[in-house]
Amino acid sequence: MPLLKEHIYTIDDIYSLPEGDRAELIDGRIYYMSPPSRRHQTIARELFSSINSYIQSNGGFCETFFAPFAVFLSEDNINYVEPDISVICDRSKLTDKGCSGAPDWIIEIVSPGSRRTDYYAKLFKYRTAGVREYWIVDPEKNRILVYDFESENTGDYTFSDSVKVSIYDDFYINFSDIAKLLNI
């Protein structure tokens, strides 16, 4: 009995989705996304604000983007993601469509529907694509996992910690400030 062939989706399929539908594409497989919760949006807003403020006040050349922002991890047409926050320091990667290639730093805020993708599929894709630093912020577990792929270090933090950003020498994000906003 022959095996059924799995359908491989492409970026064209992502762009053909009905208006308002959001999805990511990892190795030709579509992952639909639910609208983010208020808690998710609060965390994203505070992180983006902190990162953007740090870059601007230090005369940085990196750019910070929040979802939905298209990231084409490779030159193929079967990988397309929209990280919650992307920091790109090589401006030649930026196009009108988004980022072509790996951002320097990606933050994903875990939602109930994204847990497996954020912890496993994206971890592998981001590492192999050349992302320098990847944070998984999981408010349900009160956990921030930090993967510094350049030095091959991993850190495990809580929302009461101040977390060092590896791609910068003197930048820390105090998660206790975010926890106060969320009453956790």
Side-chain angles (χ1 to χ4, degrees), residues 114-125:
S114 73
R115 184 168 303 284
R116 272 185 78 97
T117 308
D118 292 341
Y119 276 100
Y120 301 106
K122 287 184 178 179
L123 174 63
F124 176 76
K125 287 311 282 186

Side-chain angles (χ1 to χ4, degrees), residues 27-41:
D27 294 330
R29 205 165 160 213
I30 289 183
Y31 295 85
Y32 290 95
M33 297 186 289
S34 301
S37 67
R38 181 186 62 81
R39 173 184 252 190
H40 184 285
Q41 289 294 79

Side-chain angles (χ1 to χ4, degrees), residues 51-168:
I51 296 164
N52 205 46
S53 177
Y54 173 84
I55 291 169
Q56 288 183 351
S57 66
N58 287 283
F61 55 91
C62 300
E63 290 201 43
T64 309
F65 297 92
F66 51 85
F69 178 74
V71 173
F72 306 92
L73 290 171
S74 52
E75 293 186 24
D76 62 32
N77 68 344
I78 60 169
N79 287 288
Y80 165 96
V81 291
E82 293 181 1
D84 289 308
I85 298 175
S86 302
V87 177
I88 296 105
C89 299
D90 179 354
R91 291 184 180 198
S92 71
K93 292 180 179 180
L94 296 173
T95 70
D96 284 341
K97 288 189 172 190
C99 177
S100 294
D104 293 87
W105 178 19
I106 288 178
I107 299 174
E108 294 286 7
I109 301 162
V110 177
S111 299
S114 73
R115 184 168 303 284
R116 272 185 78 97
T117 308
D118 292 341
Y119 276 100
Y120 301 106
K122 287 184 178 179
L123 174 63
F124 176 76
K125 287 311 282 186
Y126 293 161
R127 181 182 192 121
T128 57
V131 172
R132 294 168 56 199
E133 184 167 356
Y134 175 42
W135 289 19
I136 301 172
V137 178
D138 192 336
E140 188 176 301
K141 291 187 175 185
N142 185 29
R143 184 178 200 194
I144 301 99
L145 280 175
V146 174
Y147 294 93
D148 177 353
F149 295 134
E150 288 186 316
S151 67
E152 298 186 12
N153 288 328
T154 303
D156 194 352
Y157 304 92
T158 70
F159 275 77
S160 60
D161 292 322
S162 186
V163 181
K164 168 85 171 74
V165 178
S166 298
I167 66 168
Y168 294 106

